[in-house]
Each structure stands twice: as structure tokens, then as C-alpha cells.
Amino acid sequence: MISAQALERAFREERSLKGFIAPGLAISYQPREYLAIGRIERQPDADDIAQVVALAREAFIIIVCEPQREVISSNGVTWYLARWLLKRELVADHLPQKKERRNR
């Protein structure tokens, strides 16, 4: 099972990550592109989404929007996805900027 620490490390190191966060609930992270969860046979429900939001929060990743829903079929298997497109911003980008002091 994918832990918050593994997700945080993948996010920090900008490397892909795929695995399961709960029985039947897969997660996929593609740096700078998306974070997604998926299930076979049914859409991820509100509990699944709450679970990935909590896991992301533990990994210091803040999810602020609703996911896009998709259905993907491959090799006779249908995956139902909830996917968040990523916009990476540094905390420093949101801090007030210090005014430059002029030499007098």
C-alpha cells in the first residue's frame, strides 16, 4: 500500500508513483501533470476521494478542486478514474515580499 511518506517523497523528487492506497483503490501520480485514483467496475465515491485528499494532505499536497471523471478501457478492463490536474506552486510564491531597503 502507498503511504503518505511515499507520496510526499515522489512529489518532492518529481518521480512517478503507482500503486494501491486501499483494497481495490489505485493511485497514480505523474509529476507536474496529475494525481488520480481509480477503481475497476465503479466510480470512486466520496469516501474514496476523501481518503486520497487526506493522504495527500499528510504528504503536504493540498487538493483544492473537484476531480475530473474519466472512464478508460484497456485489455477488457474498465477503470473509473477521478483525476486532479496539478499546478505546483511553492509556498514562498504566496508569502508577502520584503521591500528592498535603500542605502541612505
Short mmCIF file of all heavy atoms in Angstrom, two decimals, residues 1-19 27-36 59 61 86 88:
data_model
loop_
_atom_site.label_atom_id
_atom_site.label_comp_id
_atom_site.label_asym_id
_atom_site.label_seq_id
_atom_site.Cartn_x
_atom_site.Cartn_y
_atom_site.Cartn_z
N MET A 1 0.83 -1.18 0.00
CA MET A 1 0.00 0.00 0.00
C MET A 1 0.88 1.25 0.00
O MET A 1 1.89 1.30 0.69
CB MET A 1 -0.90 0.03 1.24
CG MET A 1 -1.88 -1.10 1.36
SD MET A 1 -3.19 -0.95 0.17
CE MET A 1 -4.01 -2.49 0.40
N ILE A 2 0.47 2.24 -0.76
CA ILE A 2 1.20 3.52 -0.85
C ILE A 2 0.94 4.33 0.43
O ILE A 2 -0.21 4.53 0.81
CB ILE A 2 0.76 4.32 -2.08
CG1 ILE A 2 1.01 3.54 -3.37
CG2 ILE A 2 1.41 5.69 -2.12
CD1 ILE A 2 2.45 3.33 -3.71
N SER A 3 2.00 4.81 1.04
CA SER A 3 1.88 5.62 2.25
C SER A 3 1.98 7.10 1.92
O SER A 3 2.41 7.48 0.82
CB SER A 3 2.99 5.25 3.23
OG SER A 3 4.24 5.66 2.70
N ALA A 4 1.62 7.92 2.89
CA ALA A 4 1.76 9.37 2.72
C ALA A 4 3.22 9.74 2.52
O ALA A 4 3.55 10.62 1.72
CB ALA A 4 1.18 10.11 3.93
N GLN A 5 4.12 9.05 3.21
CA GLN A 5 5.55 9.33 3.08
C GLN A 5 6.04 9.03 1.67
O GLN A 5 6.84 9.78 1.10
CB GLN A 5 6.37 8.54 4.11
CG GLN A 5 6.14 8.97 5.54
CD GLN A 5 4.84 8.38 6.12
OE1 GLN A 5 4.27 7.42 5.59
NE2 GLN A 5 4.37 8.97 7.21
N ALA A 6 5.56 7.93 1.08
CA ALA A 6 5.96 7.58 -0.28
C ALA A 6 5.43 8.60 -1.29
O ALA A 6 6.14 8.99 -2.22
CB ALA A 6 5.46 6.18 -0.64
N LEU A 7 4.19 9.06 -1.08
CA LEU A 7 3.62 10.07 -1.97
C LEU A 7 4.37 11.39 -1.83
O LEU A 7 4.69 12.03 -2.83
CB LEU A 7 2.13 10.26 -1.67
CG LEU A 7 1.39 11.28 -2.55
CD1 LEU A 7 1.50 10.92 -4.02
CD2 LEU A 7 -0.06 11.38 -2.11
N GLU A 8 4.68 11.79 -0.61
CA GLU A 8 5.41 13.04 -0.38
C GLU A 8 6.79 12.97 -1.02
O GLU A 8 7.25 13.91 -1.66
CB GLU A 8 5.52 13.31 1.13
CG GLU A 8 6.08 14.67 1.47
CD GLU A 8 7.58 14.68 1.63
OE1 GLU A 8 8.15 13.63 1.98
OE2 GLU A 8 8.20 15.73 1.40
N ARG A 9 7.48 11.85 -0.90
CA ARG A 9 8.81 11.67 -1.49
C ARG A 9 8.73 11.74 -3.02
O ARG A 9 9.54 12.40 -3.67
CB ARG A 9 9.42 10.35 -1.02
CG ARG A 9 10.87 10.17 -1.42
CD ARG A 9 11.53 8.95 -0.77
NE ARG A 9 10.70 7.75 -0.69
CZ ARG A 9 10.13 7.29 0.43
NH1 ARG A 9 10.29 7.92 1.57
NH2 ARG A 9 9.40 6.19 0.41
N ALA A 10 7.74 11.08 -3.60
CA ALA A 10 7.57 11.11 -5.06
C ALA A 10 7.28 12.53 -5.53
O ALA A 10 7.82 12.98 -6.55
CB ALA A 10 6.45 10.17 -5.49
N PHE A 11 6.45 13.26 -4.78
CA PHE A 11 6.13 14.64 -5.14
C PHE A 11 7.37 15.52 -5.05
O PHE A 11 7.67 16.29 -5.95
CB PHE A 11 5.03 15.15 -4.20
CG PHE A 11 4.47 16.48 -4.59
CD1 PHE A 11 3.59 16.59 -5.65
CD2 PHE A 11 4.81 17.63 -3.91
CE1 PHE A 11 3.06 17.81 -6.03
CE2 PHE A 11 4.29 18.85 -4.26
CZ PHE A 11 3.41 18.94 -5.32
N ARG A 12 8.13 15.38 -3.96
CA ARG A 12 9.33 16.19 -3.75
C ARG A 12 10.41 15.88 -4.80
O ARG A 12 11.06 16.78 -5.31
CB ARG A 12 9.88 15.95 -2.34
CG ARG A 12 11.04 16.84 -1.96
CD ARG A 12 11.56 16.60 -0.56
NE ARG A 12 12.05 15.24 -0.41
CZ ARG A 12 11.56 14.31 0.42
NH1 ARG A 12 10.53 14.59 1.18
NH2 ARG A 12 12.08 13.10 0.48
N GLU A 13 10.57 14.61 -5.13
CA GLU A 13 11.60 14.19 -6.08
C GLU A 13 11.11 14.21 -7.53
O GLU A 13 11.86 13.87 -8.44
CB GLU A 13 12.09 12.79 -5.72
CG GLU A 13 12.78 12.75 -4.37
CD GLU A 13 13.11 11.33 -3.91
OE1 GLU A 13 12.85 10.37 -4.67
OE2 GLU A 13 13.63 11.20 -2.79
N GLU A 14 9.85 14.58 -7.73
CA GLU A 14 9.23 14.64 -9.05
C GLU A 14 9.42 13.35 -9.84
O GLU A 14 9.94 13.32 -10.94
CB GLU A 14 9.74 15.85 -9.84
CG GLU A 14 9.33 17.16 -9.23
CD GLU A 14 9.64 18.35 -10.11
OE1 GLU A 14 10.27 18.20 -11.16
OE2 GLU A 14 9.21 19.46 -9.73
N ARG A 15 8.96 12.25 -9.22
CA ARG A 15 9.01 10.95 -9.90
C ARG A 15 7.63 10.30 -9.84
O ARG A 15 6.86 10.52 -8.91
CB ARG A 15 10.08 10.05 -9.33
CG ARG A 15 9.90 9.69 -7.90
CD ARG A 15 11.03 8.76 -7.42
NE ARG A 15 10.91 8.53 -6.00
CZ ARG A 15 10.07 7.67 -5.44
NH1 ARG A 15 9.27 6.93 -6.18
NH2 ARG A 15 10.01 7.53 -4.13
N SER A 16 7.34 9.52 -10.84
CA SER A 16 6.03 8.86 -10.94
C SER A 16 5.83 7.87 -9.81
O SER A 16 6.79 7.31 -9.27
CB SER A 16 5.92 8.11 -12.26
OG SER A 16 6.01 8.99 -13.34
N LEU A 17 4.56 7.63 -9.49
CA LEU A 17 4.22 6.68 -8.44
C LEU A 17 2.89 6.04 -8.81
O LEU A 17 1.94 6.73 -9.19
CB LEU A 17 4.09 7.42 -7.11
CG LEU A 17 3.72 6.59 -5.89
CD1 LEU A 17 4.88 5.69 -5.49
CD2 LEU A 17 3.36 7.51 -4.73
N LYS A 18 2.83 4.71 -8.71
CA LYS A 18 1.59 3.97 -8.94
C LYS A 18 1.50 2.86 -7.93
O LYS A 18 2.50 2.26 -7.57
CB LYS A 18 1.55 3.37 -10.35
CG LYS A 18 1.43 4.38 -11.44
CD LYS A 18 1.33 3.72 -12.80
CE LYS A 18 1.22 4.81 -13.86
NZ LYS A 18 1.08 4.24 -15.19
N GLY A 19 0.28 2.61 -7.46
CA GLY A 19 0.07 1.54 -6.51
C GLY A 19 -1.33 1.62 -5.94
O GLY A 19 -2.21 2.26 -6.51
N ILE A 27 -3.88 4.39 -7.00
CA ILE A 27 -3.47 5.79 -7.12
C ILE A 27 -2.36 5.87 -8.17
O ILE A 27 -1.56 4.95 -8.32
CB ILE A 27 -2.99 6.36 -5.76
CG1 ILE A 27 -2.78 7.87 -5.85
CG2 ILE A 27 -1.73 5.66 -5.28
CD1 ILE A 27 -2.57 8.54 -4.50
N SER A 28 -2.37 6.96 -8.90
CA SER A 28 -1.35 7.21 -9.90
C SER A 28 -0.95 8.68 -9.82
O SER A 28 -1.82 9.56 -9.84
CB SER A 28 -1.88 6.89 -11.31
OG SER A 28 -0.90 7.19 -12.29
N TYR A 29 0.34 8.93 -9.70
CA TYR A 29 0.87 10.29 -9.65
C TYR A 29 1.86 10.45 -10.78
O TYR A 29 2.79 9.66 -10.91
CB TYR A 29 1.54 10.57 -8.30
CG TYR A 29 2.35 11.84 -8.30
CD1 TYR A 29 1.74 13.08 -8.44
CD2 TYR A 29 3.73 11.80 -8.18
CE1 TYR A 29 2.49 14.24 -8.46
CE2 TYR A 29 4.48 12.95 -8.20
CZ TYR A 29 3.86 14.17 -8.33
OH TYR A 29 4.60 15.32 -8.37
N GLN A 30 1.64 11.46 -11.61
CA GLN A 30 2.57 11.81 -12.69
C GLN A 30 3.03 13.24 -12.42
O GLN A 30 2.21 14.15 -12.46
CB GLN A 30 1.90 11.70 -14.05
CG GLN A 30 2.83 11.90 -15.21
CD GLN A 30 3.93 10.84 -15.25
OE1 GLN A 30 3.71 9.67 -15.00
NE2 GLN A 30 5.14 11.26 -15.54
N PRO A 31 4.31 13.43 -12.10
CA PRO A 31 4.79 14.77 -11.72
C PRO A 31 4.38 15.86 -12.70
O PRO A 31 4.44 15.68 -13.91
CB PRO A 31 6.31 14.60 -11.70
CG PRO A 31 6.52 13.15 -11.45
CD PRO A 31 5.38 12.45 -12.15
N ARG A 32 3.95 16.97 -12.12
CA ARG A 32 3.55 18.17 -12.85
C ARG A 32 2.37 17.97 -13.78
O ARG A 32 2.02 18.86 -14.54
CB ARG A 32 4.73 18.77 -13.60
CG ARG A 32 5.85 19.21 -12.69
CD ARG A 32 6.97 19.85 -13.46
NE ARG A 32 8.05 20.20 -12.58
CZ ARG A 32 8.27 21.42 -12.12
NH1 ARG A 32 7.48 22.40 -12.46
NH2 ARG A 32 9.28 21.66 -11.33
N GLU A 33 1.73 16.80 -13.75
CA GLU A 33 0.60 16.55 -14.64
C GLU A 33 -0.69 16.24 -13.89
O GLU A 33 -1.66 16.96 -14.00
CB GLU A 33 0.92 15.42 -15.61
CG GLU A 33 1.98 15.80 -16.63
CD GLU A 33 2.21 14.70 -17.63
OE1 GLU A 33 1.23 13.99 -17.98
OE2 GLU A 33 3.36 14.52 -18.05
N TYR A 34 -0.70 15.13 -13.12
CA TYR A 34 -1.95 14.74 -12.46
C TYR A 34 -1.70 13.85 -11.25
O TYR A 34 -0.66 13.24 -11.09
CB TYR A 34 -2.89 14.02 -13.43
CG TYR A 34 -2.35 12.69 -13.91
CD1 TYR A 34 -2.51 11.53 -13.14
CD2 TYR A 34 -1.70 12.57 -15.12
CE1 TYR A 34 -2.02 10.32 -13.57
CE2 TYR A 34 -1.21 11.36 -15.55
CZ TYR A 34 -1.37 10.24 -14.77
OH TYR A 34 -0.88 9.03 -15.19
N LEU A 35 -2.72 13.80 -10.41
CA LEU A 35 -2.86 12.83 -9.33
C LEU A 35 -4.22 12.20 -9.56
O LEU A 35 -5.21 12.92 -9.72
CB LEU A 35 -2.80 13.52 -7.96
CG LEU A 35 -3.03 12.63 -6.74
CD1 LEU A 35 -1.89 11.62 -6.59
CD2 LEU A 35 -3.16 13.47 -5.49
N ALA A 36 -4.27 10.88 -9.63
CA ALA A 36 -5.54 10.21 -9.94
C ALA A 36 -5.75 9.00 -9.05
O ALA A 36 -4.78 8.39 -8.58
CB ALA A 36 -5.57 9.77 -11.40
N ALA A 59 0.88 14.19 3.00
CA ALA A 59 2.09 14.30 2.20
C ALA A 59 2.41 15.75 1.84
O ALA A 59 3.25 16.02 1.00
CB ALA A 59 1.95 13.47 0.91
N ILE A 61 0.53 17.89 0.26
CA ILE A 61 -0.02 18.23 -1.05
C ILE A 61 -1.46 18.68 -0.79
O ILE A 61 -2.24 17.94 -0.21
CB ILE A 61 -0.01 17.03 -2.01
CG1 ILE A 61 1.43 16.53 -2.22
CG2 ILE A 61 -0.66 17.40 -3.34
CD1 ILE A 61 1.50 15.17 -2.87
N LEU A 86 -2.58 19.00 -11.96
CA LEU A 86 -1.72 19.63 -10.96
C LEU A 86 -1.20 20.98 -11.39
O LEU A 86 -0.86 21.20 -12.55
CB LEU A 86 -0.53 18.74 -10.64
CG LEU A 86 -0.88 17.38 -10.06
CD1 LEU A 86 0.40 16.59 -9.82
CD2 LEU A 86 -1.66 17.52 -8.77
N ARG A 88 1.71 23.16 -9.57
CA ARG A 88 2.64 23.17 -8.44
C ARG A 88 3.08 24.59 -8.16
O ARG A 88 3.58 25.28 -9.03
CB ARG A 88 3.85 22.31 -8.75
CG ARG A 88 4.77 22.18 -7.58
CD ARG A 88 5.86 21.20 -7.87
NE ARG A 88 6.68 21.07 -6.70
CZ ARG A 88 7.41 20.02 -6.44
NH1 ARG A 88 7.42 19.01 -7.25
NH2 ARG A 88 8.15 19.98 -5.36
#
